[in-house]
Amino acid sequence: MSNNISVKGARANNLKDIDVEIPRNQLTVITGVSGSGKSSLLFDVIFSEGQRKLLESMSSFSKRRIPMMPKADVTSIKGLSPVIAIGQIRSMHNPRSTVGTMTEISNYIRLLYATVGKAHCPYCEVEIVTKTANHMIEKLERLPKGTEVELLAPVFKIYGEQYEVLFGEIREKGYKKVRIDGKFKDISEKIELDEFKNHHIEVIVDKIIVEDGIYNHLKKSVENAFTLGSGYILFEIKESSVETKETISFYKNYGCSDHHIVMGELKQNHFSSNILENSCRTCRGLGVRIQAEKQLFIDDPEKSIRQGALGHFNAGRRMVMTLSKNYNFSLDTPYKDLPEEIRDMMFHGNKGEKISYWTKNQKGEWYESRWKTHYEGLLNETNRLYWHATRKGTLPTPGSAEQNFYTRHMTERPCPDCQGKKLNSQRLFVTVNGKNIYELGNMDMKELLGFIKKVTFEEKDKKVGDQIVKESIKRLELLIEIGLDYINLNRRADTLAGGEAQRIRIANSIGSEMTGMLYCLDEPTIGLHPRDSYKVVRTLKRLRDLGCTVMVVEHDLDTIKNADTIIEIGPGPGSFGGEIVIQGKPEEIMEDNRFLTGQYLTGRKTIALPSERRTSNGKVLKILGAKENNLKNIDIEIPLGVLVSVTGVSGSGKSSLIHDILFRKLYSIFYDKRIMAGKHDEIQGVENISDIRNIDQSPIGRTPRSNPATYVGFFDKIRKLFKDTEAAKQRNFGVSYFSFNHKNGRCIECEGEGEKRTDLQFMPDIRNKCPLCNGARYNRDVLEIKYRGKNIAEILDMSVEEALEFFEHDNTISYKLKVMNDLGLGYLKLGQSATTLSGGEAQRIKLSKELGKIKRKKNNLYLLDEPTVGLHMEDIQKLLTSLNKIVDDGNTVLVVEHHLDVIKSSDHVIDLGPEGGSEGGSVIAQGAPEEIAKVEESYTGQFLKELL
Amino acid sequence: MYSKASKEKKASIRARYEKALGDYVEKIKHDPYVIAVVLGGSLAYYDVGEDSNLDTMIIVKDNADSATHRVFTEEGITIDSFVMKRDRFRRHLEGIIQGGQYHSFFSKAKILYTTDDSLRDYIKDSNYFGSKDREIQLLNFYSGAFYSMYKTRKFLYIVGDVYGSYSFYMQMVSCLAQIEVTLEGIIPLREVIQQALKLNPTVFNKVFIEASEMKKTEENMTEMIKACEEYLDERMEIAYKPVLDYLADVGEFRTLQEIREYLESKSGQRLPFLNLREIVRRGWVLDSVEEKRITDRSQPLLHEPSFLYDPSMVKEED
Ligand SMILES: Nc1ncnc2c1ncn2[C@@H]1O[C@H](COP(=O)(O)OP(=O)(O)OP(=O)(O)O)[C@@H](O)[C@H]1O
Ligand SMILES: [Mg+2]
Ligand SMILES: [Zn+2]
Ligand SMILES: [Zn+2]
Ligand SMILES: [Zn+2]
């Protein structure tokens, strides 16, 4: 095989028919300004062609089930090997996926608990030994013949449910006799219990009279009891039975001698919360409960209820009419003008007050019935129906109308039963060195590594044990090595930052020790402090040394410097880019003037320090006694009216402080009282700001139905321009015809998505262009309408830059486009689907929306998490200009940032640390960058010193 | 009542059956996989006739397999045998809808042979008819009664077929008998009408015996239907109490589906044809509609009946 991957005639997106040779078994970094074509080359050409060839080489059986991928827009690529892309876009929305499952460490930890875990009595927590079914039977068979033994299984009710529901469930499984707090009951009878008391409930699984030949049914019954009792089994020798030496000594050293409970043998999969019988019964192992959320019901507060302010909760509903008649409010008043109590009642109900029910007669006329009712409120109603469906296992299928209703109106809250632990209490009673499996999952990687190293095994478990320890240590060390020491196994995959998820997958790849692979990576250093970015480079080189070819799109200067080969694409964004500017080993090209990044690397070009630091407007926001997560009861002062950076190594507590405490608290004050902020004593100075805006990296939408044009909001204006054309007027096409979300205008085949998706289990979804509209999303009639020579699909296909020229004459549209262009988004297509945008792009789109709105002076507080993600040095300059503009308008901008050029350009810096995890959470320094640089202990300060 | 000759004949038939059964059990005793043989049906609690079969249940070890229903023959007598593993048998017995078919088998069943004495208690306990089970069964029987009542009326007044009407009428009388027996806390057997005749001769002599003997005319039928209606009316409040209690408790509308699922989830028993039309007709509850989709993927909203009950108001009316 040749030593190069040779690409000929790459034309995808803005690439200008380029040829490029990429050396195999090397670390190649592709860099260039945003939108220059880096990702087009690496992902749309090299990766997609590699994936297509891989699929082609598969058996014809699997081929038939997978539609062929379109060939990438390239003449030829030679020298490809199996290709793996590790991108940033969070494709996983599976709430069951965690760092533990992603890294497979959870498998080993589960095995550890199954092997050496110590069980405890669920009633008195005394330690009990686990027994195999055979062991239990043997012991029973040794009792004197004729002894009567009952097998019972302890059971627990679902949180917030009545005991009766538990009894119904038991009955359905085929059991009728239970013991409640020691008393025998028949559950075909009605049983009154204090619902708020914790009763000991045990199901009588079987009665056995010791005799020869009972092995088989005993075994079956022990299995049944094991399943029902989630591992716990209770043996009770009937009192009437003969008391002998054997019966008396039966309980000694056998389970809990007070409660006669033993624990059956647990297997690895008994510790997986994804298996229903192990999971918390309330949340079924999700750790969260889905709950209706008030603000999600308010579609438009300017509208009246009759006009649909609350969506389906409109005047057609009997309950709505009933409330309106009884409480004398009009269904035609705009929602926002309704009295507070009335609005509250819609959501929380009328507290049981009896009101007369209004209904319709046969002719559809309203009348007051003689019946009284009360109203539970929209939130309770939605919760009740949803939770009922969850318990019954009849949740609507994803994508269905009902499911859409729930996802639009409900959000996640920690499960009130297990508080996010996911496993049922029986499993949490099993410990290793005093810790249960959930507690282990909460340890950061370093702590966990220390813990695992200390576990000891008995001789019989030694072989398995050593294997578990070896495999876990290997994986943990890789994660620590790549800079993820602060992360823990319980962390949900869908809460990981793009860079973190990517680094985990890199560590996994090394762990798998596959050689000869081709890796395509997208900015793996995101979210890392400059102190730690070398860790990523180090790991990428290990991957290379395994015999893999590693190709990375990266802006981090350290990574670029350390590459074997650098390729810069450019020179500009969009149509100004798409060419290879320069390629070579770092030392060969570093001084070359064509190498733009090199100018920054060598310091020939820099982002200039601000000529002077702004001073605050004299007002401050104070966070007192911050204690969330690892924060060490700290006080923080944020000066207002300036640009503030919050810094610190990964895991030092930045997000806990800024997101969990500051943002959530302010959000609860300004928007929704029920949002719970992270632990802290008080926030002072809230009166000094007028609003809070969080500009994060979450997607601007989760479907291809939203895009920059719809999100920033000028698409409505464009549709109006189309509606006003002569051709549209003749056909009587309203604005809805120009929306690909509306049935009037959209293509019927793809329903306006422009593509058809095929789910593949083992690879990312394959998306194919819709065969009917060829990706245009609209139907033919609509596409015939032209505005200044272009149809609506052609306009959505324009880049921001092109559109700026096209709409020059229209002030509103061009203003918003200009803001986007200024933020380095000129290369984005107006109609690019939200699902293909990177986190950084999404953030900048949100920022443009904000900037496009700013008019009069306000004291808003803007929060931004790592706005430099995906930005080249050239673009960072543009970002800073925009942030400064916001500040100069009187607002405060607070960024969580690792990029030193942003930090040095801030007016005020708050540095947390010193390390990540339990060793972080303190304030290391606060003040202007110059002051931070003077602080010895501050890593950020040390790096800053060189730049000031 | 019986002649001497017939008595003797009966005794000899019985002896023949008992011998056959004895031989059958004797053979089974040598099978180590069989734990118990239970006799149900005629010989166990009723008279055997010349054409009777024998009904047995054979309980086998959990590691043995067999078809569920086997037919054997002994001395020319057919022996129907239901074969069950011990675990299934046990769970079946505790989980079964009491008052159902199986219950009828075990209520008078006799253990002919067993190696596992714990089974005796299970069979004995299965005669117990718990109050919660009775509640659910009453609702089931009431729904059955109303169903046959509609049919009886339809054939009588709309189709104009008095015999067709009578056949549904008899089904309704069975339901009435089930209600009678259940209210007394007794398990309804297959011979439920005989059971009811003993418990409440006044009503059942009329609706069953008299009805059988009367001339099947529209007028006569109407009278009988009226008697049944009265019977149902008098006991309806007891039967529908679980539904009304639940609705009173929530104080809001609940759909039929929700009411059914609620009652089922608390009892672990099925309630397939819950009928609430009659309590609406009697003005005990108000019905309205909720908008629901057929499948969760459907767009069109259909109207599902829902019900509201307000105990304070019902009292005012009284
Ligand atoms: N599949 C079954 N499993 C258990 N019991 C059953 C089953 N089917 C019917 N039974 C019960 O077994 C008993 C006997 O049923 P069967 O209808 O054969 O009556 P019988 O008393 O033997 O009448 P006959 O004298 O006409 O033979 C009845 O009580 C019936 O409810
Ligand atoms: Mg029979
Ligand atoms: Zn105990
Ligand atoms: Zn839970
Ligand atoms: Zn289409």
Side-chain angles (χ1 to χ4, degrees), chain A residues 672-733:
Chain A
D672 185 349
K673 291 186 188 65
R674 284 166 304 141
I675 299 286
M676 297 289 294
K679 276 183 234 138
H680 70 286
D681 295 337
E682 198 190 346
I683 293 190
Q684 291 177 349
V686 177
E687 66 283 1
N688 297 331
I689 59 170
S690 46
D691 200 356
I692 172 81
R693 293 288 160 82
N694 186 25
I695 304 184
D696 61 11
Q697 297 204 5
S698 63
I700 58 169
R702 295 202 186 279
T703 67
R705 299 193 178 282
S706 37
N707 59 42
T710 57
Y711 186 84
V712 177
F714 51 82
F715 194 51
D716 288 347
K717 186 81 202 288
I718 294 179
R719 281 159 53 200
K720 245 182 113 239
L721 293 176
F722 271 92
K723 186 202 82 175
D724 292 338
T725 56
E726 263 324 298
K729 279 187 192 149
Q730 275 166 17
R731 293 173 177 74
N732 204 12
F733 281 1

Side-chain angles (χ1 to χ4, degrees), chain A residues 797-893:
Chain A
D797 201 41
M798 285 181 184
S799 67
V800 168
E801 228 171 349
E802 289 161 355
L804 191 53
E805 207 179 307
F806 186 81
F807 289 108
E808 209 176 18
H809 58 284
D810 186 302
N811 286 340
T812 338
I813 299 177
S814 66
Y815 176 69
K816 297 197 166 167
L817 287 167
K818 190 171 172 307
V819 173
M820 288 177 80
N821 197 39
D822 287 349
L823 272 172
L825 293 171
Y827 63 94
L828 276 188
K829 296 258 162 83
L830 300 191
Q832 190 167 339
S833 93
T835 55
T836 64
L837 296 169
S838 73
E841 285 169 337
Q843 189 177 39
R844 273 173 281 147
I845 291 170
K846 292 179 188 176
L847 198 55
S848 348
K849 183 175 181 169
E850 288 300 324
L851 282 164
K853 279 198 301 213
I854 291 186
K855 283 183 192 92
R856 61 211 141 92
K857 289 224 175 226
K858 272 204 150 187
N859 308 311
N860 293 347
L861 174 62
Y862 289 88
L863 299 183
L864 289 92
D865 193 0
E866 273 204 276
T868 60
V869 165
L871 291 187
H872 187 265
M873 292 297 282
E874 288 283 295
D875 304 313
I876 289 174
Q877 186 66 66
K878 291 182 184 167
L879 173 77
L880 278 169
T881 312
S882 304
L883 294 183
N884 285 330
K885 190 167 165 292
I886 299 180
V887 173
D888 294 338
D889 277 340
N891 303 291
T892 307
V893 174

